[in-house]
Amino acid sequence: AVYRTGRVPDAMSLFSLRDVVARATPLTELDDTEAALAVYRTFFEDARTRDPALFDRLSETLNQQRAMFSDPEIWLYRRSLDALIMAEGGHRQAETPFYLYYWDDRDGPFWRGWWVTPDEVGCTQYVAFARGHRVAPTECDGEWESAYPIPGVDPFRNGNPRQPYAQMAIFPSSDAADPPGALAIVGLRGTRGERAAGVYNVLADHPHHHGASRPVYKRARPLREGEERAIRRANLTLRQRWYEAVELALAYSRCKPALFSWLERAQARLDVYGPDGVARQRDRDEFEADFAT
């Protein structure tokens, strides 16, 4: 979404915004909605007394969220702070953390699935989403979509599709130095979500875990040069390897006549079979070696 708020005032830092979200998120995970709301409301009230300009900006953003979404109050506050962090460029900073996790149907079936988000688990300014109840994110190939709406489709209606990430996929990391269970997000090169690509490690004992098969992952490092190609090749299925071999064979059969024609022209131009050509000399040496007495 495009917000009219512009940049947040100098009095508000990204640290203070993220600190509020970081304190409220664990309470939301524990279904302690009242305590989480108290964190957000206290922050707003402090801004009212200490920095009226800041409070006006917070209130304006919150009212925009109320006009666009019919979510519960807790998520309207969360959306407001996420929007301000995004307006300040916080999600584009090099140190921005990214998370991969599963969200159940606590907020309805439209939000159930695997998410990739910056800053914190549950961030409303997400990078990628695969709707459904897949056991693992490695099963979501072809189902990932971005946060950006398809032209002509209402972006505020729950369940409407967004622009897909056609090449995005998640595989087990192929680097032996990564810890067990590490996953690699690939296929985002050249997209708006490119910065979320990388290797993700399991966060032990995170309150948002959904059993052993659906833990929370945090981005540990970016992909190295050539690593994406290596990961894709390491995870090719037997059928995909067969298709690749067939494609190579067909490509060779199509190129073979042109290749030999080019080779003949090159040999003629270099006069390799002339009286002093290298090919004639090679054949003469082989003939003499074969019939030497």
Side-chain angles (χ1 to χ4, degrees), residues 29-103:
E29 291 297 327
L30 297 173
D31 291 328
D32 195 346
T33 303
E34 289 304 317
L37 277 172
V39 172
Y40 290 128
R41 288 168 177 163
T42 299
F43 179 68
F44 273 61
E45 288 303 315
D46 287 346
R48 182 202 297 269
T49 56
R50 297 180 182 181
D51 191 339
L54 168 57
F55 175 75
D56 290 342
R57 187 58 55 85
L58 289 168
S59 299
E60 179 185 0
T61 308
L62 180 59
N63 289 334
Q64 289 176 9
Q65 302 304 313
R66 284 173 172 156
M68 291 188 294
F69 301 98
S70 57
D71 293 339
E73 192 75 0
I74 184 70
W75 287 110
L76 294 176
Y77 277 101
R78 176 64 187 269
R79 284 182 183 277
S80 300
L81 294 184
D82 286 342
L84 287 172
I85 293 172
M86 190 175 192
E88 187 64 7
H91 294 169
R92 297 189 297 274
Q93 292 187 343
E95 66 273 16
T96 299
F98 288 90
Y99 295 86
L100 167 66
Y101 55 90
Y102 179 80
W103 198 268

Side-chain angles (χ1 to χ4, degrees), residues 83-255:
L84 287 172
I85 293 172
M86 190 175 192
E88 187 64 7
H91 294 169
R92 297 189 297 274
Q93 292 187 343
E95 66 273 16
T96 299
F98 288 90
Y99 295 86
L100 167 66
Y101 55 90
Y102 179 80
W103 198 268
D104 57 22
D105 56 1
R106 70 184 70 180
D107 300 304
F110 295 117
W111 308 111
R112 181 178 60 190
W114 286 93
W115 297 78
V116 179
T117 65
D119 281 329
E120 294 284 348
V121 170
C123 180
T124 57
Q125 306 293 329
Y126 64 94
V127 175
F129 172 50
R131 181 178 286 107
H133 49 81
R134 301 286 187 184
V135 174
T138 53
E139 301 175 2
C140 299
D141 288 8
E143 300 175 7
W144 293 101
E145 58 184 44
S146 70
Y148 302 98
I150 297 174
V153 176
D154 182 4
F156 301 117
R157 182 175 180 182
N158 289 345
N160 276 356
R162 302 298 180 103
Q163 295 181 23
Y165 281 135
Q167 301 300 318
M168 179 177 172
I170 299 180
F171 299 110
S173 173
S174 59
D175 192 330
D178 292 324
L183 299 178
I185 296 182
V186 301
L188 293 176
R189 185 184 300 273
T191 70
R192 295 178 178 179
E194 184 171 5
R195 290 193 57 252
V199 173
Y200 287 65
N201 295 341
V202 175
L203 281 181
D205 301 324
H206 193 282
H208 191 77
H209 282 337
H210 287 269
S213 63
R214 289 170 172 166
V216 174
Y217 301 83
K218 184 178 181 180
R219 185 174 180 266
R221 63 174 178 85
L223 295 173
R224 304 187 185 97
E225 186 68 27
E227 187 173 13
E228 176 169 337
R229 179 175 176 81
I231 290 173
R232 285 190 179 276
R233 290 196 61 81
N235 288 277
L236 287 175
T237 64
L238 183 61
R239 176 175 293 184
Q240 288 172 327
R241 292 181 186 277
W242 166 251
Y243 286 156
E244 187 178 66
V246 170
E247 288 176 357
L248 288 174
L250 290 175
Y252 175 74
S253 65
R254 288 193 296 265
C255 296

